[in-house]
Amino acid sequence: MKEYTPEYLEHIRSIIKADDKDQARKALEDLHPADIAELYQNLELDEAEYLYRLLDDDTAADVLMELDEDDRMKMLSVMPAEEIAKQIDHLDTDDAVDLIQQLDEEEREEILAHIDDVEQAGDIIDLLKYDEDTAGGLMGTEMIVVNENWSMPECIKEMRMQAEEVDEIYYIYVVDNDYKLRGIFPLKKMISHPSVSKIKHVMETDPVSVKADTPIDDVALDFEKYDLVAMPVVDSIGRLLGQITVDDVMDRVRESSERDYQLASGISSDVDVDDTVIAQTKARIPWLLIGIVAGIVASLILSGFEEQLQAVTALALFIPIIGGTGGNVGVQASAIVVQGLANGSLELKEFTKQIGKEMLIGLLNATIISGVVLAYNLIVYPAELAVTLSVAVSLFFVVMFASLLGTVIPLTLEKLHINPALATGPFIQVTNDILGLIIYVGIATWFLQLFGVN
């Protein structure tokens, strides 16, 4: 990654200010599109726009896709529809669809109307019909396809023609006369079987493929499972539609991981460090307000326990332990479940099995934790048996309930098609805090009455 020092950035700004196009082009000519995109992020919009207009069409299109979403939208906002359409002409269909999906319906129609390549425009329109979180929404249509009945000379001739329109060649896909995927043609076969009568005699059959409506998370798991660099996408009857490449999958996985991390941290929408103060505040404040409400509820619970707290002040000392332990146990349990759901090692049909396993783990944790606190209290508060038993028994049940909730909540959210990562953050913490206090207050009240403490 290229590092842009303040001196270098000042040099670039001086070139722009002097309107020295030759010097500006020279400064950009050896840079990778990703480095140019990073340079733009260090400049003002008008400065980045000045440099962008000096790029050749291919480089400009690549730079546009290397920009992060916010910076790309800023750049698109100052570009007329004709210029955006010109850049799209130099993009693969999957990248073109990603770009167009960021625009509103009116802008989409205007840009598509200015695309010179009618076939590409048609492909983009077709791909826009798919949900962006499915294989169809991620695939591109640029690939090399041959017919299983072609001879080797026919195949080579057609491959050469198609290769002119494809930037990267991962696989050669073999289809039948109905365009159904039949196999993959390894390039090695061109050398080892130069005179084969038909491609179908040397192709690799039964390739790993995915249907267009398959969720992206499942696609990513298949890429990992089979160590693929590309995967064909087919329709419901097996006709070849396009292909997904590993770089696109990794980009989507990274975006999904970032969203899950922010959600687990109590950030309600996708934000970045470069976003405005208002945007970041809007994303953070919802769960902070929910936390305040939870705190008020906790205070109301404790207000009903005020006499007992005044009579036995030692009870108040253990409130943070009760809340903190329950929250930690719940987050641990939910994190394991969310991870299992994400990597495919846990399925919803294992709902009951996972709950049983987590309850056994919870039982062991609860026994150890409550035993440690019991021993501590017997030493520190030997005369306060009501407090000692209240804290130990409360911790036991709090850990058990937290383990149960940490398992059930993410599984339930997954079943309801809600992102289960929500259960690894403030949601589970707030829930366990309130339930932990209710358990503690109830058990402590019972023990105080049992021992006649007023």
Side-chain angles (χ1 to χ4, degrees):
M1 184 175 67
K2 187 175 179 61
E3 183 178 353
Y4 296 108
T5 63
E7 293 77 17
Y8 179 82
L9 293 175
E10 188 58 38
H11 172 64
I12 293 296
R13 289 191 175 98
S14 65
I15 292 175
I16 295 172
K17 189 174 182 180
D19 193 19
D20 192 337
K21 292 183 173 60
D22 291 335
Q23 277 291 97
R25 289 192 182 96
K26 186 175 180 180
L28 298 174
E29 63 183 3
D30 293 329
L31 295 180
H32 187 278
D35 291 325
I36 298 176
E38 186 180 351
L39 172 61
Y40 287 178
Q41 293 170 0
N42 289 278
L43 300 174
E44 297 297 328
L45 179 59
D46 59 335
E47 296 171 335
E49 183 187 1
Y50 176 90
L51 295 179
Y52 185 81
R53 297 188 183 282
L54 300 177
L55 300 173
D56 62 78
D57 292 336
D58 285 333
T59 304
D62 290 339
V63 169
L64 195 59
M65 295 311 301
E66 291 290 348
L67 292 169
D68 65 39
E69 188 172 316
D70 290 338
D71 288 327
R72 188 185 306 137
M73 288 303 297
K74 291 176 183 177
M75 186 66 73
L76 292 175
S77 68
V78 297
M79 295 170 61
E82 296 89 342
E83 188 172 350
I84 297 175
K86 185 179 179 182
Q87 302 305 330
I88 288 176
D89 278 334
H90 295 271
L91 291 175
D92 289 340
T93 50
D94 56 337
D95 289 333
V97 169
D98 287 343
L99 188 151
I100 291 179
Q101 281 177 334
Q102 296 179 262
L103 307 174
D104 60 41
E105 191 66 33
E106 185 177 339
E107 290 175 314
R108 290 183 188 182
E109 293 179 359
E110 186 178 2
I111 290 169
L112 288 170
H114 285 94
I115 295 178
D116 295 329
D117 189 336
V118 177
E119 184 177 351
Q120 185 191 30
D123 288 340
I124 293 172
I125 291 172
D126 289 338
L127 293 178
L128 284 170
K129 297 175 184 177
Y130 295 104
D131 188 307
E132 64 177 333
D133 292 323
T134 63
L138 193 60
M139 72 179 179
T141 56
E142 291 80 12
M143 55 188 172
I144 295 181
V145 183
V146 298
N147 189 286
E148 63 178 349
N149 296 310
W150 289 350
S151 65
M152 187 65 75
E154 289 178 296
C155 180
I156 294 175
K157 180 181 178 181
E158 185 64 29
M159 286 167 55
R160 286 173 176 168
M161 292 174 59
Q162 294 183 34
E164 295 179 2
E165 303 298 326
V166 180
D167 291 332
E168 299 288 344
I169 300 174
Y170 298 96
Y171 299 119
I172 309 298
Y173 300 110
V174 183
V175 298
D176 61 17
N177 293 331
D178 294 321
Y179 217 75
K180 291 182 179 179
L181 180 65
R182 305 298 296 172
I184 291 176
F185 176 53
L187 294 178
K188 181 180 177 181
K189 299 292 185 180
M190 292 174 57
I191 301 173
S192 57
H193 296 79
S195 59
V196 67
S197 59
K198 290 185 178 180
I199 297 301
K200 65 182 178 182
H201 297 318
V202 294
M203 70 180 183
E204 293 181 0
T205 58
D206 300 321
V208 177
S209 62
V210 64
K211 291 186 177 179
D213 59 355
T214 303
I216 287 299
D217 291 343
D218 294 341
V219 174
L221 291 175
D222 282 343
F223 266 86
E224 181 182 11
K225 180 178 180 179
Y226 298 107
D227 293 326
L228 301 174
V229 294
M231 183 188 294
V233 181
V234 298
D235 64 13
S236 57
I237 61 174
R239 290 176 299 190
L240 183 62
L241 299 174
Q243 73 169 352
I244 299 174
T245 57
V246 67
D247 57 326
D248 292 324
V249 172
M250 291 303 100
D251 286 343
R252 191 60 63 89
V253 169
R254 176 182 55 78
E255 292 170 4
S256 178
S257 297
E258 289 175 353
R259 286 198 299 269
D260 288 350
Y261 180 78
Q262 290 186 343
L263 190 60
S265 302
I267 300 175
S268 58
S269 60
D270 189 18
V271 292
D272 191 75
V273 292
D274 295 329
D275 288 336
T276 64
V277 171
I278 298 298
Q280 293 199 40
T281 301
K282 286 181 178 179
R284 297 184 191 188
I285 199 65
W287 273 110
L288 294 178
L289 292 176
I290 290 173
I292 292 296
V293 172
I296 293 173
V297 172
S299 68
L300 292 174
I301 295 171
L302 291 175
S303 66
F305 192 54
E306 188 173 358
E307 292 183 8
Q308 290 89 335
L309 289 174
Q310 289 177 347
V312 186
T313 55
L315 285 170
L317 301 177
F318 293 93
I319 291 175
I321 294 179
I322 298 294
T325 302
N328 289 337
V329 170
V331 169
Q332 285 182 345
S334 61
I336 294 296
V337 173
V338 170
Q339 182 184 40
L341 292 170
N343 62 28
S345 60
L346 176 63
E347 298 181 5
L348 285 177
K349 63 183 180 182
E350 299 174 323
F351 194 108
T352 305
K353 178 182 177 182
Q354 183 62 27
I355 290 176
K357 183 177 181 180
E358 188 58 41
M359 290 308 295
L360 180 59
I361 296 171
L363 179 63
L364 292 173
N365 285 335
T367 301
I368 294 170
I369 291 171
S370 59
V372 169
V373 173
L374 177 63
Y376 170 80
N377 280 352
L378 285 174
I379 296 171
V380 178
Y381 302 103
E384 300 283 357
L385 190 56
V387 174
T388 297
L389 293 176
S390 295
V391 175
V393 175
S394 295
L395 271 174
F396 181 89
F397 283 105
V398 164
V399 171
M400 291 296 293
F401 272 99
S403 298
L404 179 62
L405 287 174
T407 305
V408 171
I409 290 177
L411 287 172
T412 303
L413 292 175
E414 176 74 9
K415 198 168 186 177
L416 295 174
H417 304 292
I418 299 172
N419 193 335
L422 179 66
T424 61
F427 183 81
I428 201 78
Q429 188 80 43
V430 166
T431 304
N432 279 316
D433 282 351
I434 294 175
L435 288 177
L437 275 178
I438 292 173
I439 292 171
Y440 184 45
V441 167
I443 291 176
T445 300
W446 187 80
F447 272 112
L448 290 177
Q449 291 174 349
L450 182 65
F451 285 86
V453 180
N454 296 317

